Amino acid sequence: MLSSPKKDYEKVCMEYGVTDFRWMLKQLNLKKTERDEEQAKVVEKLENLKHIEVKTDGSAEFELDMELKNPNSQVFLFKDGVMVPYSDDGSGKHNLNKIGKKYIFSINNLMPDDAGLYQVDVEDANCFSTDFKIIPVEFVVKIQEVKAKEREDAVFECVLSHPFPKIVWTGKNIPLEQGDKFDITVSEDHLVHSLKVKDCAQVDKGVYTAMAGIASCNAWLIVEDRGVQFLNGLADINGSLGETVELSCKLSHENCEGVWLKDGRLVTPDDRVKIITDGACHKLVIDCCRKDDGAVYRFEVDGRISEATLTVQHPPTFNMDSLREFSKPVIVRACETAEWKLAFSGGDPMKIKWIKEDEELLEGPNVKIEQTDIKAGLCITDCQRRNCGEVKINIKNDFGTLEATSRLIVLGYPGSPSAPKVVSAFKDCINLAWSPPINTGGTEIWGYNLERRKKGSNFWSTVNLDGPIKDTTFALKDVIEGAAYEFRVSAINISGVGEPSPPSVIVFARDPKKPPGKVIDLKLTDSSYTTFSLAWTKPKEVEGVEDEAKGYFVEIRPNESPEWTRCNINPIISTSFNVIGLKAMGMYWVRVIATNDGGEGEPQGFDNYIIAMPPPVRPQFTGKMKSFMVVRKGNTVRFNINFKASPLPDIYWLKDCVPVSKRVTITNSDRGSQLLIPTSERSDTGIFTIIVKNMVGQETFSVEIRVTDDPKPPGPVELEQNVPGTVTVTWTPSPDEKKDDRLHYIVYKRDSVKRTWRMVADSLFNHKFTVTNILPGREYNFRVFAKNDMGLSEPAVSPTWGTIRRKDKFILDMPDVKGLDLQCPPSFLLRLKIRTAPPGYECYMSCAVRGDPKPHVTWYHNNVSLNTNTNYLITNVCGVCTMLILKIGPKDSGDYSVIADSPLGRAECSTKLTVRE
């Protein structure tokens, strides 16, 4: 058998490379015919196919009923197209148990790699396929050992990694069900599952197991002893005079001594009263119960008490001779009177009810009730057939209830026969038949009265003027050609004429018409997953062979069923019809039958079955979709994609080009898909891609999801001066830098004159920055922030740099100074560092160079000069050389170098920039 119509379509399309719908259906039908022919060679009958499912013992089964043409034919089992060996004694991984015509395949010790497509072949013919999927669920929190005292409740609870609507609970390897002993619950999100063991006893202790798919966990229930307890306490009891009464209770321990009390006084045994101790059971037995035995009885043991009340009662009883007479049915004729009388005895107060057909009879015009202390009577006057039925008396006092039953039979009007059926009709005769009434009125049916009336008239006239019709058929010849008639019939017995039957259908006195022919040009005008739209042309009229069609019936038959189902109960007049309620991707045979007064014509159907699906549509995404999403760590990630596609597509989700992990829940429908991460982690950051694919084509969409949190501040800030007029700010990285590749730093400066904070650097991916234009005589403070997609961290504050200039008296002392030669070749004080940055961000590079005379600095990218390239912001202030790339792309990857030239020499330093995908 084909696994599913949708996959078969896709297979045919891939094999033949076409998308024409009708041609594809034709090819699929050819392949199905070939498969059916191969199957028919080896299989006589195939039915009762049950797909694979997981059992409570950790195995999986699927089964089918199959009758082979040759009992010696070989049966093969395949998994994902590879033949799998199996055993027939249940000892292997894969097993076959054959019982008569039933084949039961099982898989033991389930593992995740047992998922796949299983197929059963007989010889070379494929007979059955079933897809086995194992839900990848794990126990985030397993059930733990529980201690409970006797009579207390014990609760086991576990948490799953994925929503699971129902898990299997077992106790001592026995499956547990919801009921009086166990309470099984699940949270709304289907993640938290719990089992409550109610009213724990020693027998409940042991190992309990929770199973979700193939995952399981177990824990012990320990039930602690609570000392002597009443397992069964005394219960109130009603005893009748002269009967033997027993009060009993059961303790949790044996051989315990207790005492019995009656109304607070100690009970001593005698000839009628016995005290019995049998292990943990204690009994008080009272023979030949008397009125004074009624009291409150108490049993005391080790300070524990159980009480019960004994009531000595006198329930009502019937006089047996009177009861036998009452039980006989009372038979009367219509309009006569029926009477019942019954003698009884019992303790007061007595309540008497008369009940007929489950309703209480009350005094009325036709009902009279009599009652004394020893006798009850009922009289019903003017009895009718509707009064027939069961008559019951109910006698009740405080000590019991007694009932007796009789029956009323009224010989009256017979019931109505069935509506007359038109057997045949001609221009000079109409043949009728009917069924006798179910209710004959208690006597023999003598005959029938037949009545008729013309269409549009309210007057019924009797047909059988010569006397009752003895048979249940009649040929009426007194008719007018072309006139329309309807008929009704009444039954007659000894009591008279009964109610008339419902009228027959309207019939015309004319010769029978010929059925119509086949409808013409039947076609499918539209289709969806649940409907077919049909249209046709009415059949041609051929005089004497096929008469005009008056209506139409539409019938469908599922491909796997031999039975046709009629879509409309009454014939429709129009030549179009919508078939609704179909199963998506179901295969159906469809036909249309024309009808008229002469009967139904021959059906007209399609050459092939029709599949419930709309015309093929290539997957298309609908609505607005975000390509970037930032989520705070711990929050829920939910991303919805809407699409339209026909047939229903296969949907795949990837994270960074590999299938999503078990932490991600995917929910699909015919119009969209949802990605859900209940509690996000930083590791969930990545590029998520959805692939929507059907036989017509496929569509993909990617969204970047970043899971982050407010950044932690960088470490201590240090300041140093390598070049006069500059300050190099250094800091230790933020702890979040390794977790977030988009985290960078911002530097702010404030001096003692302006006293306002001003940003001097942004988008720094290193841990050092040289601030220029540092003026002497001023104090400077610096702050360094870490920044990511969520915002800024707390600042890291530097120590104060510089001192305030004092206006002291200036004394110029001109020492003898010899001229100094400060010339030196170029050299780098601070070299370039290797950089790695994500696309779309800024990249900042810096180095420090010295030399006298001042060297000329040139920047290169892959040996190409950048000094004149406006895409790079290059500065050289007091020997601090910087370059800023505003927006990094893949083309910016490569080698970068700085060359400093002067008349005294040349210096060079280089680095490498990697743009992370």
Side-chain angles (χ1 to χ4, degrees):
M1 296 180 65
L2 293 176
S3 56
S4 72
K6 180 182 68 176
K7 292 185 177 179
D8 290 329
Y9 288 160
E10 186 173 354
K11 182 178 179 182
V12 171
C13 285
M14 293 176 63
E15 185 173 349
Y16 292 94
V18 296
T19 56
D20 183 79
F21 184 62
R22 297 182 180 275
W23 186 92
M24 182 173 55
L25 285 178
K26 182 177 180 181
Q27 296 302 317
L28 183 58
N29 288 333
L30 291 175
K31 284 189 172 291
K32 178 182 180 302
T33 302
E34 293 174 1
R35 186 207 62 202
D36 291 344
E37 290 175 354
E38 291 179 359
Q39 190 181 102
K41 293 178 182 178
V42 293
V43 177
E44 187 72 35
K45 183 184 293 184
L46 184 66
E47 57 189 1
N48 297 331
L49 308 176
K50 294 185 180 179
H51 287 270
I52 195 165
E53 61 179 8
V54 178
K55 301 297 183 181
T56 58
D57 60 356
S59 65
E61 287 184 0
F62 65 93
E63 62 182 59
L64 61 154
D65 291 351
M66 182 167 61
E67 183 178 349
L68 303 180
K69 289 190 173 181
N70 181 3
N72 297 322
S73 295
Q74 289 186 310
V75 179
F76 300 99
L77 176 65
F78 291 86
K79 176 180 179 289
D80 294 330
V82 179
M83 189 174 71
V84 178
Y86 58 82
S87 62
D88 55 6
D89 58 359
S91 61
K93 173 70 174 180
H94 301 86
N95 304 280
L96 169 61
N97 183 18
K98 184 174 180 296
I99 306 174
K101 299 178 182 179
K102 185 177 292 297
Y103 290 74
I104 302 175
F105 291 87
S106 62
I107 308 169
N108 293 330
N109 303 319
L110 288 178
M111 299 296 289
D113 58 0
D114 289 322
L117 179 67
Y118 288 82
Q119 295 176 300
V120 176
D121 286 10
V122 177
E123 297 297 345
D124 294 329
N126 175 243
C127 296
F128 178 62
S129 300
T130 181
D131 193 10
F132 182 34
K133 296 181 179 179
I134 297 179
I135 300 177
V137 66
E138 296 178 354
F139 287 90
V140 177
V141 178
K142 299 181 178 180
I143 59 175
Q144 304 295 322
E145 179 183 287
V146 177
K147 292 183 179 180
K149 293 185 177 181
E150 292 179 304
R151 301 290 183 179
E152 290 183 347
D153 295 342
V155 178
F156 292 96
E157 188 172 83
C158 60
V159 181
L160 304 180
S161 60
H162 290 75
F164 213 82
K166 183 179 181 182
I167 69 173
V168 178
W169 292 93
T170 63
K172 302 177 183 177
N173 294 325
I174 299 174
L176 307 180
E177 298 291 339
Q178 176 75 27
D180 296 335
K181 185 63 179 176
F182 302 101
D183 188 12
I184 299 174
T185 59
V186 60
S187 63
E188 291 185 1
D189 58 5
H190 293 172
L191 293 176
V192 182
H193 296 256
S194 60
L195 167 70
K196 179 189 287 185
V197 184
K198 304 176 185 176
D199 194 21
C200 289
Q202 290 296 328
V203 71
D204 296 321
K205 65 183 179 182
V207 176
Y208 288 76
T209 303
M211 298 176 61
I214 63 173
S216 65
C217 60
N218 55 61
W220 275 86
L221 170 60
I222 300 174
V223 181
E224 299 177 343
D225 192 353
R226 298 185 65 178
V228 179
Q229 300 288 322
F230 281 97
L231 298 181
N232 292 315
L234 299 179
D236 293 343
I237 189 171
N238 294 325
S240 300
L241 292 174
E243 289 184 346
T244 297
V245 176
E246 181 181 289
L247 292 154
S248 66
C249 61
K250 186 176 181 180
L251 303 177
S252 59
H253 293 69
E254 297 184 356
N255 303 322
C256 294
E257 295 185 1
V259 295
W260 289 89
L261 302 173
K262 175 185 177 183
D263 287 338
R265 295 188 297 274
L266 188 66
V267 175
T268 56
D270 54 25
D271 293 339
R272 289 191 318 107
V273 179
K274 298 180 180 63
I275 296 177
I276 302 173
T277 301
D278 183 9
C281 294
H282 297 260
K283 299 180 182 179
L284 178 65
V285 181
I286 304 174
D287 291 332
C288 194
C289 195
R290 299 188 305 215
K291 214 168 193 181
D292 60 353
D293 288 327
V296 176
Y297 290 84
R298 178 191 302 169
F299 182 72
E300 296 184 358
V301 57
D302 288 350
R304 300 190 182 277
I305 297 173
S306 181
E307 287 185 347
T309 301
L310 170 62
T311 303
V312 180
Q313 58 187 9
H314 185 187
T317 57
F318 288 132
N319 178 283
M320 297 309 296
D321 293 335
S322 178
L323 178 61
R324 279 191 290 271
E325 189 65 26
F326 177 84
S327 300
K328 297 178 182 178
V330 176
I331 302 174
V332 297
R333 297 175 68 88
C335 301
E336 291 183 347
T337 300
E339 292 184 318
W340 292 267
K341 292 184 180 180
L342 183 60
F344 61 87
S345 62
D348 291 332
M350 298 288 250
K351 296 181 180 179
I352 299 176
K353 288 183 181 180
W354 289 92
I355 300 171
K356 181 177 177 298
E357 297 296 327
D358 296 329
E359 292 187 5
E360 183 179 0
L361 291 173
L362 302 175
E363 285 271 0
N366 297 330
V367 179
K368 298 188 181 299
I369 297 175
E370 298 177 357
Q371 179 179 339
T372 67
D373 293 340
I374 59 173
K375 187 176 290 187
L378 172 66
C379 177
I380 300 178
T381 62
D382 192 22
C383 292
Q384 304 295 326
R385 281 290 297 168
R386 64 177 178 273
N387 300 130
C388 290
E390 185 181 74
V391 177
K392 185 186 298 183
I393 185 173
N394 179 292
I395 302 177
K396 179 180 179 182
N397 65 6
D398 292 339
F399 310 113
T401 301
L402 210 58
E403 287 188 345
T405 303
S406 182
R407 192 163 190 83
L408 172 61
I409 299 175
V410 180
L411 301 177
Y413 298 121
S416 60
S418 66
K421 181 179 179 182
V422 179
V423 178
S424 60
F426 302 91
K427 63 182 180 181
D428 56 357
C429 180
I430 297 177
N431 295 301
L432 303 170
W434 58 87
S435 299
I438 297 175
N439 174 23
T440 64
T443 60
E444 182 182 2
I445 299 294
W446 286 1
Y448 301 91
N449 278 349
L450 179 64
E451 297 177 293
R452 70 176 177 183
R453 70 177 177 187
K454 289 185 177 181
K455 181 180 179 181
S457 172
N458 292 325
F459 176 71
W460 290 94
S461 60
T462 303
V463 172
N464 52 305
L465 299 177
D466 297 334
I469 300 171
K470 299 298 184 182
D471 204 353
T472 57
T473 60
F474 189 78
L476 179 61
K477 298 183 178 180
D478 183 17
V479 294
I480 301 173
E481 182 180 356
Y485 298 93
E486 55 183 333
F487 302 90
R488 68 182 185 183
V489 65
S490 306
I492 306 171
N493 69 359
I494 190 173
S495 299
V497 181
E499 291 291 327
S501 70
S504 69
V505 297
I506 296 175
V507 58
F508 288 86
R510 62 189 179 195
D511 290 338
K513 279 185 170 287
K514 300 291 183 181
K518 292 184 178 181
V519 301
I520 302 171
D521 193 22
L522 175 62
K523 57 187 175 182
L524 178 70
T525 59
D526 196 9
S527 64
S528 70
Y529 286 118
T530 58
T531 63
F532 290 148
S533 295
L534 306 173
W536 59 88
T537 303
K538 65 185 301 183
K540 293 182 179 179
E541 184 178 354
V542 181
E543 185 175 354
V545 179
E546 295 173 347
D547 286 338
E548 181 185 8
K550 296 297 185 181
Y552 305 93
F553 290 105
V554 177
E555 295 183 336
I556 63 170
R557 177 174 69 85
N559 189 44
E560 65 274 10
S561 172
E563 301 294 330
W564 286 95
T565 301
R566 188 156 283 184
C567 300
N568 51 314
I569 299 176
N570 298 317
I572 59 171
I573 300 175
S574 64
T575 57
S576 61
F577 188 80
N578 288 331
V579 182
I580 62 175
L582 302 177
K583 181 181 178 182
M585 301 305 296
M587 295 180 286
Y588 296 90
W589 293 91
V590 182
R591 66 184 185 185
V592 177
I593 301 173
T595 183
N596 61 15
D597 295 336
E600 297 181 358
E602 299 229 352
Q604 176 64 57
F606 292 100
D607 294 336
N608 295 308
Y609 55 72
I610 307 174
I611 299 173
M613 61 172 285
V617 176
R618 188 180 188 278
Q620 299 175 13
F621 293 114
T622 60
K624 295 183 178 179
M625 298 181 292
K626 297 180 179 179
S627 60
F628 182 76
M629 177 186 293
V630 179
V631 180
R632 188 183 298 276
K633 175 186 174 184
N635 287 359
T636 297
V637 177
R638 181 180 283 105
F639 191 76
N640 292 302
I641 291 286
N642 295 323
F643 59 79
K644 57 181 179 179
S646 175
L648 295 176
D650 292 325
I651 301 172
Y652 309 95
W653 279 93
L654 307 176
K655 177 180 181 288
D656 296 332
C657 299
V658 297
V660 294
S661 66
K662 295 181 287 185
R663 287 177 37 76
V664 181
T665 300
I666 303 299
T667 304
N668 297 325
S669 68
D670 59 345
R671 296 183 179 179
S673 180
Q674 182 189 75
L675 179 145
L676 175 68
I677 305 176
T679 305
S680 59
E681 299 290 344
R682 287 184 182 269
S683 59
D684 295 320
T685 296
I687 304 296
F688 288 82
T689 302
I690 182 174
I691 302 175
V692 183
K693 177 181 179 182
N694 66 6
M695 65 181 185
V696 185
Q698 75 175 38
E699 194 68 40
T700 62
F701 180 78
S702 297
V703 56
E704 180 181 359
I705 297 178
R706 300 197 61 83
V707 180
T708 185
D709 206 345
D710 290 332
K712 295 179 182 178
V717 179
E718 297 181 356
L719 306 175
E720 61 178 339
Q721 184 182 52
N722 294 321
V723 177
T726 66
V727 173
T728 300
V729 184
T730 60
W731 57 91
T732 56
S734 166
D736 292 332
E737 183 176 305
K738 294 182 179 179
K739 305 176 185 177
D740 192 341
D741 58 5
R742 293 168 71 95
L743 183 140
H744 56 279
Y745 302 96
I746 302 175
V747 179
Y748 280 82
K749 179 187 74 171
R750 184 181 70 174
D751 62 43
S752 57
V753 175
K754 296 182 179 179
R755 305 189 66 81
T756 58
W757 289 101
R758 184 173 65 88
M759 183 174 68
V760 294
D762 190 7
S763 302
L764 298 177
F765 286 89
N766 57 357
H767 313 123
K768 180 183 292 187
F769 180 74
T770 301
V771 182
T772 60
N773 297 326
I774 300 298
L775 302 178
R778 295 186 183 183
E779 292 184 346
Y780 292 88
N781 293 95
F782 301 92
R783 287 179 177 176
V784 181
F785 295 85
K787 183 179 180 182
N788 64 6
D789 292 312
M790 297 306 298
L792 292 176
S793 69
E794 293 293 322
V797 181
S798 74
T800 301
W801 176 267
T803 58
I804 299 176
R805 181 170 55 187
R806 297 178 181 177
K807 295 183 178 180
D808 295 332
K809 185 176 180 180
F810 179 75
I811 299 174
L812 178 62
D813 185 8
M814 297 295 292
D816 294 334
V817 179
K818 295 181 179 180
L820 296 178
D821 185 6
L822 299 179
Q823 290 185 344
C824 64
S827 64
F828 284 93
L829 300 175
L830 183 65
R831 304 183 73 83
L832 295 173
K833 293 185 178 180
I834 296 176
R835 290 286 185 266
T836 300
Y841 273 67
E842 297 179 355
C843 181
Y844 189 87
M845 298 184 188
S846 65
C847 62
V849 66
R850 70 177 180 178
D852 190 12
K854 181 179 178 181
H856 176 72
V857 177
T858 306
W859 287 79
Y860 292 89
H861 174 214
N862 293 334
N863 297 323
V864 178
S865 175
L866 303 178
N867 281 24
T868 59
N869 193 328
T870 57
N871 293 326
Y872 301 84
L873 180 59
I874 297 175
T875 60
N876 184 356
V877 179
C878 297
V880 177
C881 304
T882 62
M883 182 180 71
L884 177 63
I885 305 174
L886 297 178
K887 188 174 183 181
I888 291 181
K891 61 182 177 55
D892 295 314
S893 296
D895 296 322
Y896 287 80
S897 60
V898 178
I899 297 177
D901 284 302
S902 80
L904 298 181
R906 182 179 186 181
E908 181 180 352
C909 70
S910 61
T911 185
K912 189 178 184 65
L913 172 61
T914 301
V915 179
R916 185 166 50 248
E917 293 184 0

